[in-house]
């Protein structure tokens, strides 16, 4: 006797076509109403160098699909990889980059913002003739 087929999750319209099958077949059950994230929500997991290897170090962007525990959500990354994370470790995707949060996943965006901020500071000092001559 074989196990019944796993239930398929409904796929929201904003999920890219090539990820529909991965989204629909991700493991887990329906997300409770009190969860801060619901089916199809775009999320980001920030990664930090001292964390355990995997997503805790590298971070990811993806979508919420289901739940596998009281506070553990599962979903897929933008590359189609399945993830399981505590919902407290997730942030809504699209948040501005925090210049003082040294996560590995936002390194390039943070660097560009810091360079722009430094350039702006230099321009402001030049307005008042206070810039250091080089």
């Amino acid at each position: 006797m074989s196990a019944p087929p796993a239930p398929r999750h409904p796929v929201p319209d904003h999920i890219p076509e090539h990820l529909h099958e991965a989204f629909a077949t991700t493991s887990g059950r329906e997300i409770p109403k009190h969860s801060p994230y619901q089916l199809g929500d775009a999320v980001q997991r920030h990664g930090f160098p001292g964390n355990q290897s995997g997503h805790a170090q590298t971070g990811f962007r993806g979508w919420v699909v289901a739940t596998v525990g009281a506070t553990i959500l599962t979903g897929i990354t933008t590359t189609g990889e399945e993830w399981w994370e505590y919902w407290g470790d997730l942030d809504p995707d699209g948040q501005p980059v925090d210049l003082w949060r040294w996560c590995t996943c936002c390194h390039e965006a943070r660097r560009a913002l810091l360079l722009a901020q430094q350039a702006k500071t230099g321009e402001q000092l030049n307005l008042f003739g206070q810039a250091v001559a080089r």
Side-chain angles (χ1 to χ4, degrees):
M1 184 161 124
S2 64
R8 293 177 63 84
H9 301 285
V11 180
D13 293 337
H14 64 275
I15 304 299
E17 183 69 36
H18 69 282
L19 296 175
H20 279 204
E21 188 63 20
F23 191 97
T25 57
T26 297
S27 59
R29 61 183 187 275
E30 187 177 340
I31 302 169
K33 299 281 188 236
H34 66 274
S35 170
Y37 303 102
Q38 294 298 317
L39 179 79
D41 285 352
V43 294
Q44 180 174 8
R45 165 63 153 106
H46 293 279
F48 297 92
N51 289 348
Q52 293 180 348
S53 61
H55 290 138
Q57 273 189 359
T58 62
F60 67 85
R61 283 186 160 85
W63 298 278
V64 174
V65 177
T67 184
V68 290
T71 60
I72 300 173
L73 296 173
T74 185
I76 61 167
T77 66
T78 54
T79 59
E81 183 181 357
E82 188 170 330
W83 55 263
W84 297 34
E85 295 288 341
Y86 289 104
W87 67 39
D89 290 340
L90 300 171
D91 291 312
D93 196 14
Q95 300 279 63
V97 174
D98 184 348
L99 293 178
W100 309 115
R101 187 174 190 180
W102 291 97
C103 58
T104 57
C105 49
C106 298
H107 173 73
E108 292 301 319
R110 187 174 48 254
R111 182 169 184 219
L113 286 173
L114 285 171
L115 288 173
Q117 183 180 14
Q118 290 170 352
K120 186 176 179 183
T121 302
E123 290 172 8
Q124 290 173 343
L125 289 174
N126 283 335
L127 289 174
F128 301 105
Q130 297 173 354
V132 177
R134 295 180 195 220

